Amino acid sequence: MNKINKLIKGICLCLVFALVAWFLGQVFPLIGGPVFGILLGMLCHNFVKDAKDYQVGIKFTAKKVLQAAVVLLGFGLNLNIILKTGAQSLPIILSTITVALALAYLMQKVLKLPLNLATLIGVGSSICGGSAIAATAPVIDADDQEVAQAISVIFLFNVIAALVFPSLGQALGFDTSSGQAFGIFAGTAVNDTSSVTATAATWDSLYHLGSQTLDKAVTVKLTRTLAIIPITLGLSFIQSKKNRTHDQRFSFKRAFPTFILYFILASLITSLFSSFGFNPSLFNPLKTLSKFMIVMAMVAIGLNTNLIQLIRKGIKPISLGFTCWLGITLVSLVMQKVMGLL
């Protein structure tokens, strides 16, 4: 009973902070709830680090609630829509992901960064920001400090992209009579969903395109999100082989992250319901709950993260993040040019 009380205390603490972060994220969507959550958690780190009554619940939220959030994230993936309109961007998505992961690996060697941190930044940059980091962290056994560092780096380049890319698009001569080309660019070159939305909506607003750019960008972004599945599965196999002793045989069951299986099932359920004529908006409450649970998990991670140490170690991760971000941007532009979209 005492352990249950401690569990509830920690979860409730994360819940209260998450409500504040969620509200701030609605007011300042360019920053987003997860970033506010991790910042609030880090600012309050010193007040709870010695509070043992809360630690059980905080650790539970950082791990189990995070995994549950990733599962619910699957209800936001309608595979029917992705197959119809997202296939056009697939070569660009595959190219940007490949380049980002390769750059992350090379820069990890050059900068001598922890492999887990480089992996989180590479995956977050190339797939879908905080959601990809949330899905990858449990698979590679990343600690809270590494997750916080990766989220912070991704956030920095999200903001820069949202502010700079509309002007960059204009300078590069993107078609202003349609949102298709810039929508693909925003969907492939911007990391997090909130920043993709902000960037695409700005382009729509500038050139009075209604929601053309936004619709295209979000579809491309959802297509990118599917890469979570093969990436996490691949990383789980690598991690499993790394952790097993010489007398252990490789076990597919042990290596397979169960929460990713549920994530796949959730996306299949959404797609199946859509095929039978149900409105996909039926699953909107679950998508919203998923986003809120990610905010809760980010609060928990922040509560276990030392802000001062994070700042001291910031230069190298930022350099890695910049390299990935620049590589993704250039590859996206080159691929669009090659495919005749730009």
Side-chain angles (χ1 to χ4, degrees):
M1 184 62 71
N2 188 39
K3 188 174 181 179
I4 293 175
N5 288 336
K6 289 180 179 180
L7 181 69
I8 293 172
K9 279 186 178 180
I11 293 174
C12 287
L13 179 67
C14 294
L15 176 63
V16 170
F17 280 126
L19 289 170
V20 176
W22 180 265
F23 171 76
L24 291 172
Q26 300 301 305
V27 177
F28 304 101
L30 184 58
I31 299 174
V35 174
F36 278 118
I38 211 161
L39 286 174
L40 283 173
M42 288 190 293
L43 289 172
C44 298
H45 164 77
N46 288 329
F47 297 103
V48 299
K49 66 178 181 179
D50 296 322
K52 295 180 180 179
D53 286 352
Y54 294 97
Q55 285 303 317
V56 175
I58 291 172
K59 289 178 180 178
F60 178 87
T61 305
K63 186 175 182 180
K64 297 299 182 182
V65 172
L66 183 60
Q67 291 181 2
V70 172
V71 172
L72 293 179
L73 193 66
F75 288 105
L77 289 176
N78 187 337
L79 301 179
N80 298 314
I81 294 175
I82 290 171
L83 289 173
K84 285 179 184 177
T85 61
Q88 180 189 29
S89 61
L90 192 58
I92 304 173
I93 292 169
L94 293 175
S95 300
T96 53
I97 290 174
T98 301
V99 168
L101 294 178
L103 287 172
Y105 178 77
L106 291 173
M107 289 298 289
Q108 184 266 331
K109 298 292 185 185
V110 172
L111 298 173
K112 295 180 172 58
L113 281 166
L115 183 58
N116 278 356
L117 177 58
T119 301
L120 291 177
I121 293 174
V123 169
S125 298
S126 61
I127 300 178
C128 53
S131 300
I133 292 171
T136 304
V139 172
I140 62 174
D141 295 328
D143 62 35
D144 291 344
Q145 195 85 14
E146 291 166 336
V147 174
Q149 193 88 62
I151 290 285
S152 302
V153 169
I154 295 301
F155 161 69
L156 173 62
F157 294 107
N158 277 342
V159 172
I160 294 174
L163 295 175
V164 171
F165 277 9
S167 298
L168 178 64
Q170 185 181 39
L172 292 173
F174 273 88
D175 184 7
T176 57
S177 63
S178 167
Q180 296 298 301
F182 191 81
I184 292 174
F185 176 58
T188 54
V190 185
N191 301 332
D192 204 69
T193 304
S194 59
S195 297
V196 170
T197 302
T199 307
T202 299
W203 189 263
D204 279 332
S205 177
L206 286 171
Y207 302 106
H208 311 289
L209 297 173
S211 63
Q212 286 183 39
T213 313
L214 181 59
D215 292 343
K216 189 65 178 181
V218 169
T219 302
V220 172
K221 183 67 173 58
L222 289 176
T223 308
R224 276 174 74 189
T225 303
L226 281 177
I228 286 178
I229 299 168
I231 293 295
T232 50
L233 289 179
L235 288 171
S236 68
F237 294 146
I238 293 170
Q239 191 71 16
S240 178
K241 287 185 176 182
K242 189 189 300 182
N243 291 341
R244 68 191 174 106
T245 58
H246 293 294
D247 59 340
Q248 285 180 321
R249 291 184 178 181
F250 177 78
S251 168
F252 180 84
K253 184 178 179 181
R254 188 167 54 244
F256 195 95
T258 307
F259 72 97
I260 294 297
L261 173 62
Y262 294 139
F263 168 83
I264 297 170
L265 288 175
S267 63
L268 289 174
I269 289 170
T270 301
S271 307
L272 189 63
F273 269 65
S274 176
S275 298
F276 285 114
F278 289 91
N279 193 326
S281 62
L282 176 71
F283 296 101
N284 283 349
L286 292 177
K287 288 160 58 179
T288 302
L289 179 60
S290 168
K291 293 175 183 177
F292 181 76
M293 288 168 71
I294 287 177
V295 174
M296 273 187 72
M298 291 304 111
V299 168
I301 288 168
L303 288 169
N304 283 331
T305 302
N306 189 313
L307 181 60
I308 296 173
Q309 288 183 14
L310 197 68
I311 294 171
R312 284 175 180 170
K313 297 177 181 177
I315 300 301
K316 288 184 178 182
I318 288 173
S319 300
L320 188 150
F322 174 74
T323 304
C324 291
W325 179 68
L326 184 62
I328 289 169
T329 302
L330 293 175
V331 169
S332 177
L333 291 171
V334 169
M335 286 296 293
Q336 283 200 72
K337 191 71 174 176
V338 169
M339 294 171 66
L341 300 172
L342 176 58

